[in-house]
Structure formats: structure tokens, C-alpha cells
Amino acid sequence: MIVILKSGASEEVVQHVAERITQLGLTPHISRGEFRTIIGAIGEEGVALPEQLEQIAGVEKVMPIMRPYKLASREFHPDDTALEIRGVKIGGDYCAVIAGPCSVENRELLLNVARQVKAAGASILRGGAFKPRTSPYSFQGLGKEGLEYLAQARAELDMPVITEVMDPRDVELMTDYTDIYQIGARNMQNYNLLLEVGQTNKPVFLKRGMAAPINELLMSAEYVMSRGNHQVILCERGIRTFETQTRFTLDISAVPVIRANSHLPIFVDPSHAAGKRELVADLALAGMAAGAHGVMVEVHTDPEQALSDGPQSMLPSGFRRLMERLRQVAEVLGRRLN
Ligand code: PEP
Ligand code: MN
């Protein structure tokens, strides 16, 4: 890291900072300019060190050079991470489409939607059994019953399933029912939950918090990976901005930024971002064109009757058309859509 001293800082300050850097196990390199002295600290930077040095009187600013995340960074793992989930390949040139209802509402709905999205070409089935709702009075999901329907759909259609885990105490229960643990936007910084899924050997689909900078998403991935589970898939699902025409703003730039800084696969979820069914297809295509490794889309056979997220859920017919266009985009870009 680089420590910039205040202009006119005394020799005493310079020596004190250099000593602190040495005590912290780094090597100080002092560079004296006409007005300012800058001290480079060479060695392994811990996360607390910049904050400690910044508190010394006479220090103007401390600039870390290394990224705060390591395991999730491209430097650590220059090639893209490649995952295989029940035969579905994700990462590198491989892309996948996750589709299904927002919530598992009942057995018939789930199986009906599952059959239709599978026939259209989706490779992974989604459906929430534990729902993170803004209101405690809204439908909270079927819980274990919902997990059982997901497992039935998986068996019938031979496709992997993904469902959200909200509570560290449910991680073990869910292991027989899901192939991927989804961490929702609202739980992106639920560190105990991240550590718990970090101890499993199943992929973790980590959604970006609606007010979280990209670095914080990557730090959350680091939490999961720090426990030994390196199978993390990131997801951009829209962030809060001043715009009111959409539920959230899909941050397309997150896709190339994440691909530049991390080896982990990155998906986009245009359904939760847009909040409106008519915008979902165009945003999904934009995400793929920007380099996403896949999209997550909500589909419902009767959105008007949906217990959650009906307005943003596509009808199966719209989803079929989207799949055709996604195939075309993938082909043009030389990507392989499962
Ligand atoms: C969901 O996928 O149904 C969901 C609740 O998404 P998010 O956590 O992105 O809001
Ligand atoms: Mn939803």
C-alpha cells in the first residue's frame, strides 16, 4: 500500500510511520518529495492495516494496492472458473438459463412451469420455498413442502434445481433437495449464512445486494470461498437508483467489470431488475451480449394469480421466444448455451 503524508510532515512522523509499517511485517520505502513524503509498504497487506495507519497524525491518506478479495480475484485464478452441475456446464464459454416461478406455490404449478421451461431449453429450474418478502404478511413460501415439489420436478425432468436459503439453520435440511444454494439480494451480507454455505460442497448462487457496490459482492463471495467452497456463481439483479420506471436498474456494466476482476461466473436476473414482464427479454439479451454466463428468469403460467412477482413473470410463450433469441446471441458471440 502507499502512505501519503501531510505536506510538511516532520521527520519524526516519517520515522514513526516507517516503524509501524515494519512492526506490521511490511517493508517501508520512503520517497521524499519537495513538499510531501510518500511511503510505500511492500508485503502482504492485511485488511486492517490501512485503517490503522490512516489514524496516525501526519498521515493524509493510505491507498491499498491489492484488492481486498483474493480467492475471488482473477489474479488468484487467471482462468474462468468452470462448474458442472448435474451435467450443466457453467463458466468460460458455457452459458445456462435458469427459469421457473418466483415461488413454489403448489405442486401442479411447479411441474407445469418446469415442463414448459425445460421444453423451451432452460437447463436449471428455479423456485422459492423460503421467500424473503418485504412484508411479513405476504406469502412466505411453502417451506419443506416446496422443497419436496422441487425434488420431484428434478427427478421427473432430470434437471438441476436452485432455491433460496435464508437461514443458516436450513442449509443442512436443504442439501437433499437443491443442487444450488441461492443467496438472495437481501442476504448478500448475511455473513453467518455465507460461512454456512461455504462449508458445503454445493454451488452457491450469490445475488448482488440492491445497494451493494461490486467490491462488496466480491467480498461476500470471498466469505463463501474462505470456508473452502469455491463454487460460487455471482448474479447482478438490479440496484437501486433514482429511476422509477423500473423496479431496480439492471447494472449491465457489472458484467464486464466482474469478468475483468474475478474468475467467477456472472449471471444477470432481468426479472427482479425490471419488475415488468415486457422488459425482461431485452434485458436478458443485453446481459448475455455483455458477457454474462447466463440468465435467471421468472416464468409463470398464470401471472395474474401468482403469489409473488406476477408482474415480472413471463408467460411460457414469451420465454420460448426469448430462448430462441438467446440461442442466436450465444451463437454470434461464440458462446455455448447448455
Ligand atoms: C428471487 O430470486 O426470487 C429473489 C427474491 O431475488 P432477489 O433476492 O434478487 O430479490
Ligand atoms: Mn421473485
Side-chain angles (χ1 to χ4, degrees):
M1 80 195 100
I2 295 170
V3 183
I4 302 168
L5 302 188
K6 290 194 172 136
S7 81
S10 66
E11 187 55 29
E12 217 182 323
V13 169
V14 176
Q15 290 311 323
H16 178 59
V17 172
E19 264 166 41
R20 280 296 290 143
I21 289 173
T22 310
Q23 278 170 8
L24 294 165
L26 306 174
T27 310
H29 285 262
I30 303 172
S31 152
R32 291 186 170 84
E34 198 180 335
F35 303 107
R36 259 180 213 282
T37 298
I38 289 173
I39 308 181
I42 312 300
E44 186 79 3
E45 291 173 11
V47 177
L49 306 192
E51 284 171 16
Q52 290 183 1
L53 293 174
E54 214 149 40
Q55 291 172 58
I56 299 174
V59 170
E60 169 111 19
K61 198 173 174 191
V62 179
M63 297 182 351
I65 298 175
M66 277 167 48
R67 297 173 206 286
Y69 48 89
K70 290 189 169 48
L71 302 173
S73 76
R74 244 291 162 226
E75 283 93 342
F76 175 76
H77 191 290
D79 295 331
D80 281 356
T81 278
L83 302 177
E84 189 162 340
I85 308 163
R86 284 183 179 254
V88 177
K89 291 184 174 172
I90 293 174
D93 285 341
Y94 286 94
C95 310
V97 174
I98 303 173
C102 177
S103 307
V104 179
E105 298 177 15
N106 56 61
R107 190 172 177 278
E108 290 61 43
L109 169 87
L110 182 73
L111 283 170
N112 193 359
V113 174
R115 287 177 193 133
Q116 299 205 50
V117 297
K118 165 98 182 182
S123 43
I124 301 173
L125 175 67
R126 66 151 286 148
F130 299 98
K131 294 304 300 176
R133 304 307 300 281
T134 304
S135 164
Y137 308 118
S138 302
F139 176 61
Q140 304 285 309
L142 294 182
K144 189 156 182 280
E145 187 186 343
L147 297 177
E148 275 158 14
Y149 300 151
L150 279 168
Q152 286 170 19
R154 165 172 72 186
E156 183 191 308
L157 295 161
D158 190 25
M159 74 195 295
V161 297
I162 174 171
T163 194
E164 177 165 353
V165 57
M166 288 174 47
D167 189 323
R169 292 168 296 188
D170 291 333
V171 169
E172 205 181 313
L173 160 80
M174 290 170 74
T175 180
D176 291 339
Y177 299 97
T178 193
D179 300 296
I180 308 171
Y181 288 109
Q182 175 170 324
I183 304 287
R186 290 158 189 81
N187 272 317
M188 186 201 88
Q189 285 175 319
N190 182 337
Y191 299 120
N192 288 338
L193 182 59
L194 299 176
L195 293 174
E196 197 67 33
V197 293
Q199 292 186 68
T200 70
N201 55 12
K202 276 189 204 292
V204 175
F205 190 84
L206 178 61
K207 296 184 96 175
R208 180 181 181 185
M210 57 192 78
I214 293 168
N215 266 2
E216 291 184 13
L217 171 64
L218 292 167
M219 288 305 289
S220 290
E222 193 80 12
Y223 261 90
V224 177
M225 299 172 87
S226 73
R227 283 290 160 105
N229 186 356
H230 289 199
Q231 301 178 81
V232 178
I233 302 166
L234 305 169
C235 179
E236 161 58 40
R237 48 78 70 206
I239 53 174
R240 277 218 205 283
T241 66
F242 47 78
E243 185 53 68
T244 54
Q245 301 267 341
T246 48
R247 191 175 173 193
F248 296 94
T249 297
L250 186 68
D251 181 12
I252 291 284
S253 45
V255 175
V257 169
I258 286 170
R259 288 198 63 153
N261 291 289
S262 176
H263 53 90
L264 297 172
I266 167 76
F267 273 53
V268 296
D269 170 352
S271 305
H272 289 88
K276 291 179 183 166
R277 154 179 341 116
E278 60 272 24
L279 301 178
V280 171
D282 288 339
L283 293 178
L285 292 162
M288 286 288 282
H293 295 98
V295 296
M296 169 180 263
V297 178
E298 287 185 338
V299 180
H300 200 289
T301 43
D302 188 2
E304 254 181 59
Q305 304 278 337
L307 297 179
S308 61
D309 289 347
Q312 68 200 31
S313 297
M314 295 184 104
L315 284 160
S317 53
F319 179 70
R320 276 194 293 277
R321 281 195 298 279
L322 170 60
M323 282 303 306
E324 281 162 26
R325 294 169 74 198
L326 283 171
R327 271 190 215 100
Q328 290 168 348
V329 169
E331 199 182 322
V332 169
L333 296 173
R335 320 283 303 281
R336 296 163 182 239
L337 192 56
N338 278 269

